[in-house]
Amino acid sequence: MKIVEAQRICNLPPYLFARIEKLIAAKKEAGVDVISLGIGDPDRPTPVHIIETLVREAYNPANHQYPSSVGMLTYRKAVAQWYQNRFGVELNPETEVVSLLGSKEGIAHISWCYLNPGDTVLVPDPGYPVYSGGAILAGAEPYYLPLKPENGYLIDFKSIPRDVAKRAKIIFVNYPNNPTGAVAGEAFYRELIDFAREYDILVCHDAAYSDVSFDGYKPPSFLQFPGAKEVGIEFHSVSKTYNMTGWRVGWAAGNARVVEALGRLKSNIDSGVFQAIQYAAAAGLTGPQDIVAEQNKVYQERRDILIEGLNSLGWNLEKPKATFYVWAPVPRGYTSDSFAELVLDKAGVVITPGTGYGQNGAGYFRMALTIDKERIKEALERIKNTIGTVTF
Ligand code: MLT
């Protein structure tokens, strides 16, 4: 039998971390003690009260049946309450919140709701690969918006050609930013909302890292700015805030029409989040939040060790205010790929090549702070032994 894949899957590259996972597995197989600064996957435990809620709810047979695909009202109310407490944002849990199997799933599926084949979608570059992946599956054409260090890695709306803006249907935006660690403030969000209104472009803001922040800085939500709900939605999850990446539970919130469309799409293709997990996530969102501040202290210490260590080798990096990522240029004489390969082969340290996030990531790499500080120190030592001091 001849098996032929559809064009849309042929156009889809292998997922960045699926490729990296294979490299790590091969090294481990060869007996290397690999230190991974690759995927941003929190290493610290999920808070106990969340786990206890999961266990308790898992004993209730009612929770073993199909959940509602848009999420239990209890869960959606917890999301709305969290937005109120954290950002002062009012959300109607019945119409303005939909549960997701992690924000990645919703980010991939929103393109199916709003992009027809051939449509233009604005995608930050470097950026989380799921923005373009979902759009490509929907047959749309990403137009990449370069995030440049001289602009603080913010989108430069003035540089978007008018004809491109006129035909674009969605803009993906993500602050605090993966992979650069950049943050955005009120002026940026106001400009974004004006831009979206002027050209009728749906804003899809990814706020996954809003609660991983340092030095007293508290990132805002896109939804807290006037007009946001009129032009878009925000994707979020409990993954990064409460160390729950494996649980697959998130949400989209904001514009009711968009929330309804995403919920309708999802009810046709998935059956929602296990109810015991929804109760547990709700316990996280409505429970004590001091654990988040405690955890950020741990990341901050790791950040300082890593940045100061790299700077002692010749880098000149500023400390990011948010996310658990460090974005850095590769030393002179290397490309993103050749530097990542060298560091993996000679030091057994996994870093993510900047090109994994798009063409504008060329010449950069990303390190995640999701391992213990002693391992970060060891990674630095191994990198030092491999390359010595560096120039740019
Ligand atoms: C990353 O490392 O970029 C993220 O952990 C990936 C994700 O959130 O899916």
Side-chain angles (χ1 to χ4, degrees), residues 15-17 38-42 103-104 128-130 178-179 208-209 239-240 245 248 324-325 352 357 366 368:
Y15 190 59
L16 173 63
F17 289 104
I39 194 161
D41 192 357
S103 56
K104 181 179 186 179
Y128 184 42
V130 184
N178 175 15
Y209 300 93
S239 290
K240 310 287 156 73
T245 50
R248 309 318 302 144
F324 39 55
Y325 300 122
T352 313
Y357 302 93
R366 193 196 78 174

Side-chain angles (χ1 to χ4, degrees), residues 7-28:
Q7 196 54 46
R8 70 177 71 84
I9 189 82
C10 298
N11 293 342
L12 200 64
Y15 190 59
L16 173 63
F17 289 104
R19 274 191 280 137
I20 293 176
E21 235 172 66
K22 282 193 186 154
L23 292 176
I24 296 175
K27 284 284 163 200
K28 284 190 176 163

Side-chain angles (χ1 to χ4, degrees), residues 193 197 203 222-233 255:
I193 291 164
R197 271 201 187 119
V203 175
F222 154 68
L223 295 178
Q224 75 190 56
F225 297 101
K229 263 198 223 172
E230 185 199 313
V231 299
I233 55 169
N255 186 286

Side-chain angles (χ1 to χ4, degrees), residues 108-277:
H109 280 138
I110 192 68
S111 288
W112 288 84
C113 299
Y114 290 98
L115 297 174
N116 287 315
D119 278 351
T120 298
V121 50
L122 303 178
V123 174
D125 177 355
Y128 184 42
V130 184
Y131 309 138
S132 55
I136 290 168
L137 279 173
E141 286 165 20
Y143 180 91
Y144 292 100
L145 306 175
L147 303 187
K148 298 184 177 164
E150 58 269 30
N151 296 330
Y153 294 108
L154 294 176
I155 293 167
D156 177 9
F157 296 103
K158 294 191 183 64
S159 72
I160 303 173
R162 219 176 136 72
D163 62 311
V164 172
K166 274 185 171 167
R167 56 173 204 267
K169 298 286 180 338
I170 289 183
I171 182 169
F172 284 101
V173 182
N174 164 225
Y175 295 99
N177 184 259
N178 175 15
T180 66
V183 295
E186 180 169 348
F188 173 83
Y189 286 107
R190 285 185 183 270
E191 202 181 348
L192 168 65
I193 291 164
D194 287 348
F195 173 78
R197 271 201 187 119
E198 182 176 353
Y199 293 103
D200 290 324
I201 300 175
L202 177 68
V203 175
C204 291
H205 186 255
D206 174 2
Y209 300 93
S210 75
D211 284 66
V212 182
S213 66
F214 315 118
D215 307 319
Y217 173 69
K218 282 242 174 203
S221 159
F222 154 68
L223 295 178
Q224 75 190 56
F225 297 101
K229 263 198 223 172
E230 185 199 313
V231 299
I233 55 169
E234 183 156 272
F235 292 94
H236 212 314
S237 85
V238 290
S239 290
K240 310 287 156 73
T241 314
Y242 307 111
N243 310 326
M244 296 171 71
T245 50
W247 298 52
R248 309 318 302 144
V249 54
W251 65 85
N255 186 286
R257 180 175 172 145
V258 180
V259 162
E260 186 281 324
L262 188 53
R264 182 150 39 101
L265 177 92
K266 285 173 55 58
S267 63
N268 277 281
I269 56 180
D270 73 56
S271 300
V273 178
F274 178 34
Q275 288 196 169
I277 288 185

